[in-house]
């Protein structure tokens, strides 16, 4: 491992003047969107507030491919997704991350004795920090928000790693100060590093799993445990999670584990040791890699998604499984908790957004808008409307969440109606109801109670925004249960068919043999027979499961399809995005909502800031031919605080791009 400047000079591109014109031609890239319109106004990209790699040299895999210097060193880290972490500095007067002027200078005053360096130092002291990885490099900068241009020439810290590359990182917000903060970094070889990027002179650095004796697989996600400032949780592609204490040492020999707690497809181990050492606990969950996990805002629950397609929600402190959801197809790649800890949004390889209710233990809706894998989802707490204070972050108890009846009976006051239009276009075709068309006569004005804004980005390079209203949250759940009960109808049809076959074959001499063969054939293919068959059937089932685990998993998935854990497409509402825009040429990997902006990042290594309506300096937008500076602004309230009184009066309808680019959907 080394810390230093990036690699040297770049090689020039080979001349194509004498080359074959057919080989030199490359189709132009599709124009990217630099703004988009929602009901609250226009979101604009702050071009000069972009963060990226300072120098585009051979060390960058993307630039290396462009310059023709592809090799083992250039390809190292090319498959690692770009991740972004933010740190909100404590005692900062502007929580949005935008630099605030020092005292006495906010109104243009000052005594004239303060130097320019001190003036700039005071501004940077109030800035948030941003950390991002590109390939095998890691950068830490001051995040200047939507009012100041980014300065890539003065990073707080930058590191270049050899032999491995960072895959995930997070600041410890509970112990951070304006001059010190712990940052944990996970790597592709399984190691975990703890550094303090603000204290360069002390070179604070610790390594965990340095010899890779705890786990040899790559780190996929790691987070500090809420309420436990010295503990952090690390997930690996092996399907295991490990709880570390930064104050404990790692063993020199492979640790020996004993079962501490066991449940449905998860086991928790603890180390057998005379003295306390890392890892404190080992979680083995499901089958396959754990792609992401997230703590609820009150720190009581833990949501985990993986390549097996399951979302599992645990009571973290009691180590108990609360509920489970199965994706419609493929693995799940991301999840996010709602501000009130009642909903979880997930996305993955089925190209769908799925919203799951932890309180009701059912799928609320699915969203169809992406054309490739969904790589990241996030709730927007600053445009969501949550009227009931009993569900604010930090006030939800696990006992209330486990009691469905208490959660469903909670009444929420309704704010004033927003308008005649619905927020997300909800498809009720499967329920025999139509909205906006097909129904004659005046339509009632929708009454919006609880309202959630969700964002998602994917490998298709598109940003989608979704609105979840009471119309979706309370959409004919009784009809869904009725439809679920009718799924058993094919079994009745098979019985009647069997009776008719028996009557038609009564005069045939070979009927007994054929009847026996058909009955055995149906028994062998029946899932119910495999689950509740005779002793011989159960022995055969167990033998097949041991010989072919993939077949057993397929049977399990078929058994779950059509249940509350994994409803069919026609059994839950299917919504469309309010906004769907192509904003990158490479697959998107990051989406985070902040008070004055939202931040996105792509695999190419560009971290973009999108100012909210009424926020951001117009000087940070490049005025070119297609500059969004000339786009008319829709009147809207300035969201200094999370909105709770509705939205602006914009009536712009959502529009979509006609072409899309499908990114590389392989996970390396």
């Amino acid at each position: 491992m080394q810390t230093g400047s990036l690699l040297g000079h770049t090689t020039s591109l080979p001349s194509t003047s004498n080359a074959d014109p057919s080989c030199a031609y490359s189709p132009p890239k599709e124009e990217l969107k630099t703004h988009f319109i929602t009901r609250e106004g226009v979101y604009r990209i702050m071009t000069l507030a972009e963060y990226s790699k300072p120098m585009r040299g051979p060390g960058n895999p993307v630039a290396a491919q462009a310059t023709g210097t592809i090799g083992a060193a250039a390809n190292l880290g090319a498959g690692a997704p770009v991740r972004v972490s933010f740190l909100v500095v404590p005692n900062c007067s502007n929580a949005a991350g935008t630099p605030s002027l020092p005292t006495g200078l906010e109104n243009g005053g000052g005594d004239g004795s303060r130097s320019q360096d001190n003036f700039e130092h005071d501004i940077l002291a109030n800035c948030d920090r941003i950390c991002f990885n590109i390939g095998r490099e890691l950068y830490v900068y001051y995040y200047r928000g939507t009012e100041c241009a980014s300065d890539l020439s003065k990073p707080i810290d930058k590191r270049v790693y050899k032999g491995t590359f960072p895959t995930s990182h997070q600041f410890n917000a509970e112990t951070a100060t304006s001059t010190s903060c712990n940052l944990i970094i996970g790597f592709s070889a399984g190691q975990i590093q703890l550094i303090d990027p603000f204290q360069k002179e002390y070179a604070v650095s610790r390594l965990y799993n340095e010899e890779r004796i705890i786990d040899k697989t790559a780190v996929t996600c790691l987070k500090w445990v809420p309420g436990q400032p010295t503990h952090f949780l690390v997930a690996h592609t092996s399907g295991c999670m490990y709880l570390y204490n930064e104050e404990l040492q790692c063993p020199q020999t492979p640790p020996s584990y004993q079962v501490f707690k066991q449940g449905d497809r998860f086991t928790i181990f603890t180390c057998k040791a005379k003295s306390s050492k890392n890892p404190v606990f080992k979680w083995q969950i499901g089958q396959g890699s754990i792609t992401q996990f997230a703590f609820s805002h009150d720190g009581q629950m833990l949501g985990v998604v993986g390549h097996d397609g399951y979302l599992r929600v645990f009571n973290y402190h009691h180590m108990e499984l609360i509920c489970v959801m199965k994706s419609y197809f493929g693995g799940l790649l991301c999840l996010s908790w709602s501000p009130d800890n009642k909903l979880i949004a997930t996305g993955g390889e089925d190209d769908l957004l799925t919203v799951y209710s932890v309180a009701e233990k059912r799928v609320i809706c699915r969203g169809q808008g992406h054309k490739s894998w969904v790589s990241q989802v996030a709730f927007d707490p600053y445009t969501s409307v949550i009227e009931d204070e009993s569900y604010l972050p930090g006030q939800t108890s696990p006992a209330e969440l486990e009691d469905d009846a208490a959660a469903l009976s909670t009444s929420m006051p309704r704010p004033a109606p927003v308008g005649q239009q619905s927020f997300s276009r909800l498809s009720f075709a499967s329920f025999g109801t139509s909205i906006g068309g097909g129904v004659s006569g005046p339509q009632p004005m929708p009454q919006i109670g609880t309202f959630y804004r969700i964002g998602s980005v994917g490998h298709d390079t598109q940003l989608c925004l979704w609105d979840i209203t009471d119309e979706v949250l309370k959409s004919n759940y009784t009809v869904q249960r009725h439809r679920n009960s009718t799924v058993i109808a094919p079994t009745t049809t098979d019985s009647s068919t069997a009776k008719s076959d028996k009557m038609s074959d009564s005069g045939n001499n070979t009927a007994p043999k054929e009847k026996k063969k058909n009955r055995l054939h149906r028994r062998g293919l029946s899932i119910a027979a495999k689950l509740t068959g005779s002793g011989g059937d159960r022995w055969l089932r167990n033998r097949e499961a041991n010989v072919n685990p993939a077949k057993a998993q397929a049977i399990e998935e078929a058994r779950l399809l059509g249940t509350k854990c994994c409803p069919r497409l026609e059994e839950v509402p299917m919504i469309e995005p309010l906004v769907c825009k192509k904003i990158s040429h490479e697959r998107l990997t990051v989406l985070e909502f902040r008070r004055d902006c939202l931040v996105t990042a792509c695999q190419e290594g560009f971290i973009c800031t999108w100012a909210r309506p009424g926020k951001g300096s117009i000087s940070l937008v490049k005025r070119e031919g297609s500059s969004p500076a000339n786009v008319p602004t829709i009147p809207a309230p300035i969201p200094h605080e999370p909105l709770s009184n509705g939205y602006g009066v914009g009536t712009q309808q959502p529009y979509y791009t006609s072409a899309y680019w499908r990114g590389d959907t392989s996970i390396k």
Side-chain angles (χ1 to χ4, degrees), residues 343 360 362 364 450 452 468-475:
L343 303 180
E360 303 175 21
R362 70 178 181 97
I364 297 295
T450 302
Y452 301 94
I468 310 297
T469 64
D470 273 350
E471 182 184 30
V472 182
L473 297 174
K474 302 177 181 179
S475 55

Side-chain angles (χ1 to χ4, degrees), residues 385-428:
V385 180
I386 303 172
E387 290 288 322
D388 193 350
E389 296 181 356
S390 63
Y391 288 100
L392 292 178
Q395 299 181 3
T396 304
S397 63
E400 293 175 343
L401 291 171
E402 293 181 7
D403 189 358
D404 291 347
L408 291 173
S409 62
T410 305
S411 60
M412 296 185 180
R414 298 177 179 270
V418 180
Q420 294 287 350
Q421 71 280 0
S422 62
F423 284 86
S424 284
R425 291 179 292 175
L426 177 61
S427 174
F428 278 87

Side-chain angles (χ1 to χ4, degrees), residues 23-37:
C23 299
Y25 172 77
S26 60
K29 292 184 177 181
E30 183 181 349
E31 182 181 359
L32 303 181
K33 300 299 180 181
T34 58
H35 70 281
F36 57 87
I37 303 175

Side-chain angles (χ1 to χ4, degrees), residues 157-303:
D157 192 10
K158 60 180 179 181
R159 296 168 182 259
V160 182
Y161 298 93
K162 287 185 177 180
T164 186
F165 50 88
T167 57
S168 184
H169 43 81
Q170 190 187 41
F171 289 101
N172 191 347
E174 295 188 17
T175 61
T177 64
S178 59
T179 59
S180 176
C181 179
N182 288 336
L183 174 68
I184 50 174
I185 309 166
F187 293 91
S188 59
Q191 302 95 334
I192 303 99
Q193 185 184 26
L194 187 147
I195 64 174
D196 189 343
F198 306 159
Q199 301 290 336
K200 296 182 181 179
E201 59 274 13
Y202 298 105
V204 178
S205 178
R206 300 179 188 173
L207 278 176
Y208 303 90
N209 193 27
E210 182 177 6
E211 302 298 330
R212 305 174 62 199
I213 62 176
I214 298 176
D215 201 308
K216 292 181 171 58
T217 61
V219 174
T220 57
C221 183
L222 78 173
K223 294 181 183 297
W224 293 94
V225 179
Q228 299 179 356
T230 61
H231 290 71
F232 56 91
L233 195 62
V234 183
H236 292 258
T237 57
S238 61
C240 297
M241 296 193 305
Y242 301 90
L243 178 65
Y244 288 86
N245 187 339
E246 67 173 54
E247 299 176 352
L248 299 180
Q249 299 293 329
C250 291
Q252 301 298 324
T253 58
S256 178
Y257 299 101
Q258 61 183 2
V259 176
F260 180 78
K261 200 163 190 177
Q262 196 168 10
D264 184 14
R265 298 191 181 183
F266 78 94
T267 307
I268 303 175
F269 302 89
T270 183
C271 286
K272 291 182 185 178
K274 295 181 180 179
S275 60
S276 298
K277 291 184 179 181
N278 284 319
V280 181
F281 288 107
K282 172 185 175 181
W283 295 56
Q284 187 173 357
I285 302 175
Q287 297 178 353
S289 171
I290 295 176
T291 53
Q292 197 175 86
F293 66 86
F295 288 95
S296 60
H297 297 285
D298 57 5
Q300 300 296 322
M301 293 175 292
L302 175 67

Side-chain angles (χ1 to χ4, degrees), residues 75-89:
N75 289 332
L76 180 62
V82 175
R83 300 299 185 193
V84 177
S85 300
F86 285 97
L87 172 65
V88 178
V89 178

